[in-house]
Every structure is written in C-alpha cells, then in structure tokens.
Amino acid sequence: MGILDGKVALITGAGQGVGRGIAMAMAREGAGIAVVDRNGETAAETVTLIEDLGGGTALYRICDVRNSDEVNSCVASVVEALGTVDILVNNAVDATVGIALQDIDDEQFLISFASGPFASFWFMRACFPYLQDGGRVINLRSGTENQSLPGYGPYVAAKAAVGGLTRAAAREWGREGITVNALVPFALTPSAEADLAAQPGRLEAVYRQLSIPRSADVEADVGRAAVFLAGPDASFITGCTVSVDGGGSFFA
C-alpha cells in the first residue's frame, strides 16, 4: 500500500523533468495521475512509464496553461475521468531568459506571468471545490528568486509572485482543509541543461557553492519531497517553501 492510495494528483508540466519526476514518485505511492502538458508526445511517455510500474492509473491532457479557458476545461476533463482532484502540483512554466531587463518586450515579460502565477492561480481556482477537506497544493518556485541572476528578470519576478500566491492561499484555504506549500528544486531538467550548455563553466561554479555538490534526482529527491507534502505526515504544514537544492538556498 502507498501513502497516496486513492488520491488523484493533477501535475502540470509533467511530460518531462521535474513534473515527470513528481508524477512517477506519486504514482509509486498509489496516486492516480493526471499528466498535464502542452506536448502530447512527452505527456503520453510519462503515462506509459507510470503504467509500466504495474497497476498505476494515469492519463494525460494537453493544455496551454497560459489560457484560463483551457485550464478550466482541463480540470473538468480530469474530474470527469478520475472523479476528483486531491493534489494539485503547479510545475509548468515558460520563460525567456538571457535577455537584459531593459531589452525585454511586453510579450516576453508577460509569458512568464501567464505560465507562472496566472496559471497556478487558474488551476488552484478551478480545483478548489475538489480540494476542500484534505486537498494539497504544491507550487514550484525557484532559487533564482534569491540569486536574481542577470537575464532572468521576468522569471525571477514570476516565481516570486508564485511565492506570494502560495502564502496567500495557505492563509485563506487552511480553514477549508487545504494545505498550500512550495518546492524549490535544483535539477538538471532538459531546459536547465540547455541553459547551462550556453554558459561554459556555470554548472561547475554552481556545484562549488552547494553543500551537496550535485543536482537533484527529479524523482528520488524532488518527487519524494512532493510526496511528503502531499501525504499524511505533512497535514499540519502550510505556507512553507521546501528547498530541494543541496544547500543552494544558503547563498544568494
């Protein structure tokens, strides 16, 4: 038996990287998984991996999280198929990085917010009726909020807004039986690898600053932290941010 038996988890951006790792970890603990991604091919791959675990229930839905109507339709479709949503993981994000703040245009700035705090809010609002009395929300933040790396302005601002949304929802929804927390991972996802590849020596420099000089395993490290926040042992934890970054939160 798993600690998430009978629960349904909706995870955005679960077609790869951190989202897939969380989906796999929660599936191993018995949760039914709704893989939400804009890439149907990678989303289907995650579903197959879950089904290969043996007996896992999983489906995928294609959704552009930057569109509130699509978010509402996605949640309704998941509830129709799986009955409810007990756990919501807002992981999907899209952002342009590597551009100086003064050179960023409106669209590049807004896309970070549409896919970050706006999308997180839209999913939270749509899932709220199903999350009452025991539901869990886990939002993904970023260590770049503290580091404020040059070229990451829109992403930093959007992730900071997700932090504010997490705390506000935790305060309001606690009396509705819902906990709302956040994770800050440091993992070499495909997008992170592409970004680091354009900065020779950057990864080694990051490792030198970490207490544990490696990147997180998306399932064994980040996924298990998400399982903890979604499980019974975290029922009295809300409004908190858990850093799964090998000590990266110690430096700014």
Side-chain angles (χ1 to χ4, degrees):
M1 291 181 62
I3 64 172
L4 300 181
D5 278 350
K7 303 295 184 181
V8 173
L10 187 160
I11 305 167
T12 71
Q16 63 177 358
V18 166
R20 176 177 285 181
I22 293 173
M24 296 296 294
M26 289 190 174
R28 290 184 194 277
E29 289 294 342
I33 307 295
V35 175
V36 175
D37 206 288
R38 63 183 179 183
N39 186 324
E41 182 176 349
T42 58
E45 289 174 358
T46 300
V47 169
T48 298
L49 289 170
I50 291 171
E51 292 174 342
D52 287 347
L53 295 176
T57 300
L59 55 78
Y60 74 89
R61 294 291 183 264
I62 299 173
C63 178
D64 183 348
V65 302
R66 300 169 299 179
N67 184 297
S68 63
D69 289 336
E70 286 198 33
V71 169
N72 290 336
S73 295
C74 175
V75 172
S77 175
V78 169
V79 170
E80 181 178 7
L82 298 179
T84 191
V85 175
D86 302 291
I87 303 160
L88 169 64
V89 181
N90 284 308
N91 166 69
V93 68
D94 189 8
T96 299
V97 298
I99 301 176
L101 200 58
Q102 68 272 14
D103 296 326
I104 296 168
D105 62 32
D106 291 355
E107 183 178 358
Q108 291 168 329
F109 198 90
L110 288 170
I111 194 171
S112 296
F113 275 79
S115 63
F118 287 0
S120 297
F121 166 68
W122 291 329
F123 271 102
M124 289 165 67
R125 182 176 62 185
C127 291
F128 176 77
Y130 312 103
L131 293 168
Q132 290 175 283
D133 298 323
R136 307 295 172 85
V137 177
I138 302 170
N139 294 326
L140 273 290
R141 299 178 65 183
S142 171
T144 60
E145 292 175 52
N146 291 328
Q147 300 160 28
S148 298
L149 300 175
Y152 283 72
Y155 183 70
V156 169
K159 285 298 187 179
V162 169
L165 176 64
T166 299
R167 292 189 297 274
R171 178 66 69 186
E172 292 192 27
W173 288 3
R175 294 178 185 275
E176 302 291 342
I178 305 169
T179 68
V180 187
N181 292 291
L183 286 175
V184 174
F186 172 64
L188 291 184
T189 63
S191 59
E193 288 182 332
D195 183 39
L196 288 165
Q199 305 176 64
R202 173 64 182 162
L203 180 58
E204 290 74 17
V206 171
Y207 283 163
R208 284 194 295 271
Q209 297 179 81
L210 298 181
S211 303
I212 305 172
R214 66 171 176 84
S215 60
D217 182 284
V218 292
E219 181 181 344
D221 295 319
V222 184
R224 292 304 305 176
V227 166
F228 166 71
L229 290 176
D233 292 336
S235 64
F236 201 51
I237 299 173
T238 196
C240 295
T241 294
V242 177
S243 294
V244 189
D245 61 1
S249 54
F250 289 148
F251 68 91

